[in-house]
Amino acid sequence: MGEPRKAAAKAMEKATEAAIASAAEHLLAGRLVAFPTETVYGLGADATNSKAVAQIFAAKGRPRFNPLIVHVLDAAAADAYVAFTPLARRLAGAFWPGPLTLVLDKRDTSPLSDLVTGGLASVAVRSPDHPIARALLRATGRPLAAPSANRSGRISPTQAAHVAAEFGDEVAMILDGGPTAHGLESTILDARGEAPVLLRPGAVTVETIEAALGVKVARGSIDAERPSAPGQLMSHYAPRAGVRLEAREVRPGEALLAFGPAPLPTEGPVFNLSPAGDLAEAAANLFAALRALDASGAEAIAVMPIPAEGLGEAINDRLQRAAAPRSAGAS
Ligand code: TXA
Ligand code: MG
């Protein structure tokens, strides 16, 4: 691991104007650039360049059938790649730019690489609300395919150093924009029909979407999406240590992932996601906390119960995947 780490450290750069300009050149030349979004760091490539997109799958060790999110500046840009439904227009109007991803039918005329969609007829598009991501989109004038910048199945990165620890010279550059604000990935909605269907809970809560649109968000279609979005269902976000949910006590050898003002008593390592019991703070801390407790060398991580409402839905979704059996072939 010594060599790749060194190469990655060299590739990590503060996201100055000059660094963003050279990152854009790398992207236009078909190379990979990791960059911050308001959710997590993404591993970006020109979505119209199949060779570049292929490098994303290779670097992440991601199965080719697991499609990527395409980042765009705005709905007008997305219009060249996907067919907006009336529902999608309303959702984009209410939440873009921001951490909401829309799955829509791909246009026949779309110049996107087929690798991006993993052979599906749909594309997941999102307009990020982060100045560095937006500057890259402007400077390249290209749609950017960018999954979370972690090895497939591992914990998503919320800091540039997380990316540097996992990727070596596969990436031309890692733009450092500090810790990400939300700390959880975007919410993914299938917006092809009349009512939105939740494919992945995320930084925008279901309650917020329902309040903004006055429509009910359907759940439960995730099963139907299983073949097309496998990364969402298997073991994912996995630290090396085991993960035990709904912990009421800390066992010997365990680290504690705590939540709220009354953490369980323990002599071992502790990370409290939010002593105040604030779910937004907990979401922002979650992935860094899992990494830190994993690095403590604990055999397992005991996780205190976290309320299920609001952002708690996405937090619990990530924790359940982190705790899922790591079956062979899991992405
Ligand atoms: O916040 C985010 O969404 C971050 C940042 C970097 O934008 N990106 C991200 O990408 O989380 P990724 O690749 O880690 O997760 C994208 C998920 C995958 O589980 C994939 O299966 C699903 O989106 N997906 C992509 N295209 C899809 C499609 N056409 N239909 C259904 N699911 C799709
Ligand atoms: Mg991911």
Side-chain angles (χ1 to χ4, degrees):
M1 278 306 286
E3 269 314 296
R5 264 170 210 276
K6 240 190 273 162
K10 206 167 53 181
M12 193 161 109
E13 267 189 52
K14 201 163 171 283
T16 58
E17 231 170 272
I20 290 170
S22 90
E25 279 173 32
H26 284 306
L27 287 166
L28 288 171
R31 292 188 278 268
L32 302 185
V33 170
F35 61 89
T37 79
E38 75 278 31
T39 59
V40 299
Y41 276 72
L43 185 62
D46 175 354
T48 65
N49 179 336
S50 289
K51 273 197 190 152
V53 175
Q55 286 179 57
I56 292 182
F57 287 91
K60 277 189 62 108
R62 181 175 176 118
R64 289 253 184 146
F65 51 79
N66 192 2
L68 306 175
I69 292 176
V70 174
H71 297 70
V72 294
L73 259 188
D74 49 29
D79 213 46
Y81 315 122
V82 290
F84 273 77
T85 57
L87 171 68
R89 294 240 171 263
R90 292 180 65 206
L91 286 164
F95 295 104
W96 281 10
L100 180 70
T101 296
L102 301 176
V103 171
L104 293 166
D105 283 326
K106 183 176 168 177
R107 282 196 195 282
D108 293 339
T109 51
S110 151
L112 297 175
S113 160
D114 282 336
L115 276 178
V116 166
T117 56
L120 297 176
S122 59
V123 188
V125 286
R126 104 170 178 91
S127 170
D129 186 16
H130 190 290
I132 297 169
R134 298 187 68 74
L136 276 180
L137 287 165
R138 261 190 225 100
T140 57
R142 299 281 165 87
L144 297 176
S148 53
N150 52 276
R151 300 247 179 226
S152 188
R154 316 295 310 195
I155 304 168
S156 304
T158 55
Q159 299 170 22
H162 297 165
V163 184
E166 282 186 55
F167 292 102
D169 33 15
E170 304 103 312
V171 297
M173 205 170 174
I174 300 166
L175 284 175
D176 187 354
T180 62
H182 293 286
L184 286 180
E185 295 87 345
S186 61
T187 303
I188 305 182
L189 292 180
D190 185 338
R192 287 173 289 184
E194 286 190 359
V197 178
L198 182 70
L199 299 181
R200 176 176 74 182
V204 184
T205 66
V206 165
E207 290 91 331
T208 307
I209 297 164
E210 290 181 339
L213 267 74
V215 292
K216 196 101 187 98
V217 174
R219 289 191 182 77
S221 278
I222 292 180
D223 273 359
E225 289 293 325
R226 225 170 248 231
S228 57
Q232 302 177 30
L233 297 138
M234 303 173 180
S235 164
H236 209 76
Y237 313 103
R240 256 159 275 277
V243 174
R244 188 169 66 84
L245 302 180
E246 303 289 324
R248 310 281 163 181
E249 82 292 317
V250 183
R251 297 175 188 162
E254 283 184 336
L256 174 66
L257 186 62
F259 177 80
L264 295 170
T266 176
E267 304 280 286
V270 180
F271 196 122
N272 195 331
L273 290 173
S274 173
D278 176 61
L279 288 168
E281 183 186 19
N285 285 329
L286 178 66
F287 291 137
L290 285 173
R291 281 173 190 268
L293 294 179
D294 209 17
S296 76
E299 271 162 49
I301 300 171
V303 183
M304 287 175 66
I306 293 170
E309 79 273 0
L311 275 175
E313 181 176 5
I315 295 171
N316 282 297
D317 168 83
R318 304 305 187 271
L319 286 169
Q320 279 153 16
R321 290 172 212 291
R326 286 111 197 231
S327 53
S331 70

